[in-house]
Amino acid sequence: MEQSNSLSQSNADDFSNISLRPFHLSDIDDFMVWVSDEKVAHFCSWEPYDTKENALNYLKNKAIPHPCFLAICLNSRPIGAISITLNSGNDVCRSELGYVLASAYWGKGIATKAVKLMAEFIFRQRPELERLEALVDVQNVGSLKVLEKVGFKREGVLRKYIILKGKTRDMVMFSLLSTELVL
């Protein structure tokens, strides 16, 4: 996605101006709000960031160069992140979705809007992509609901699938096929 592009959706609620856009180094203060929050990091593979310098390095070296790592914005201000891990070779038909949102915005439909925007975008931009996957911890009820609302299908529980923060976790596999998304 080009730096000048953004994807957006508006409705008549208080959280209507949701958009996706690339991160900028100037987003660091907003970025720190959720990456330093233990509640947000609980179901993530990373620990909360303890310094602004570490978070800035992540933005500079990982998030900004990544072609599909975008800021979830409310009124143009980053309040979370969403990404697609693109595959190559024999796996080019599928990609994995990930997202995170500042805890102050949980339960307001923002993640649902962001996931829908990203799914629409990636299926338009990548015609070879047929399947978008998401893995969610079985205890992450909010994220399970987000994917179901967007239309992802629950395929099953992958038992003892990943070690997360020193504990083996069960994960739910979700998928959305390009033919299932209503654009």
Side-chain angles (χ1 to χ4, degrees):
M1 188 168 163
E2 294 180 24
Q3 296 285 34
S4 62
N5 290 351
S6 74
L7 308 169
S8 63
Q9 176 176 342
S10 293
N11 291 324
D13 58 24
D14 292 335
F15 302 100
S16 63
N17 194 8
I18 305 302
S19 61
L20 306 179
R21 66 158 172 82
F23 276 99
H24 309 290
L25 291 178
S26 59
D27 294 326
I28 187 61
D29 290 332
D30 293 321
F31 188 72
M32 280 299 293
V33 170
W34 75 86
V35 299
S36 62
D37 185 339
E38 288 186 26
K39 289 187 297 187
V40 173
H42 180 75
F43 290 113
C44 296
S45 60
W46 42 270
E47 295 294 336
Y49 281 77
D50 54 354
T51 69
K52 194 172 186 177
E53 181 182 351
N54 288 342
L56 192 58
N57 284 333
Y58 181 83
L59 267 181
K60 188 184 328 179
N61 299 316
K62 300 287 185 184
I64 292 173
H66 190 293
C68 291
F69 192 108
L70 304 174
I72 299 171
C73 297
L74 175 62
N75 299 320
S76 301
R77 185 174 172 203
I79 59 168
I82 190 164
S83 66
I84 302 277
T85 302
L86 299 171
N87 293 331
S88 61
N90 292 335
D91 291 337
V92 73
C93 65
R94 65 183 174 89
S95 292
E96 187 174 340
L97 171 76
Y99 52 92
V100 62
L101 191 65
S103 59
Y105 299 98
W106 291 355
K108 301 182 185 324
I110 294 170
T112 302
K113 289 177 187 177
V115 168
K116 187 167 178 15
L117 285 170
M118 184 61 116
E120 290 170 349
F121 169 75
I122 201 67
F123 283 132
R124 276 195 209 110
Q125 294 297 310
R126 300 280 181 154
E128 72 280 8
L129 186 66
E130 297 180 52
R131 175 185 168 92
L132 191 54
E133 300 174 342
L135 285 168
V136 180
D137 190 296
V138 294
Q139 295 181 2
N140 190 344
V141 177
S143 198
L144 297 172
K145 289 179 182 177
V146 164
L147 294 169
E148 289 170 344
K149 286 178 185 176
V150 174
F152 279 72
K153 303 292 185 253
R154 182 187 296 240
E155 294 186 335
V157 175
L158 304 173
R159 299 176 304 154
K160 305 296 181 194
Y161 185 77
I162 191 170
I163 297 173
L164 187 63
K165 304 202 170 129
K167 185 177 176 187
T168 306
R169 307 296 306 194
D170 294 346
M171 302 293 281
V172 180
M173 172 62 83
F174 282 90
S175 71
L176 181 69
L177 302 182
S178 59
T179 56
E180 297 170 334
L181 184 66
V182 179
L183 298 175

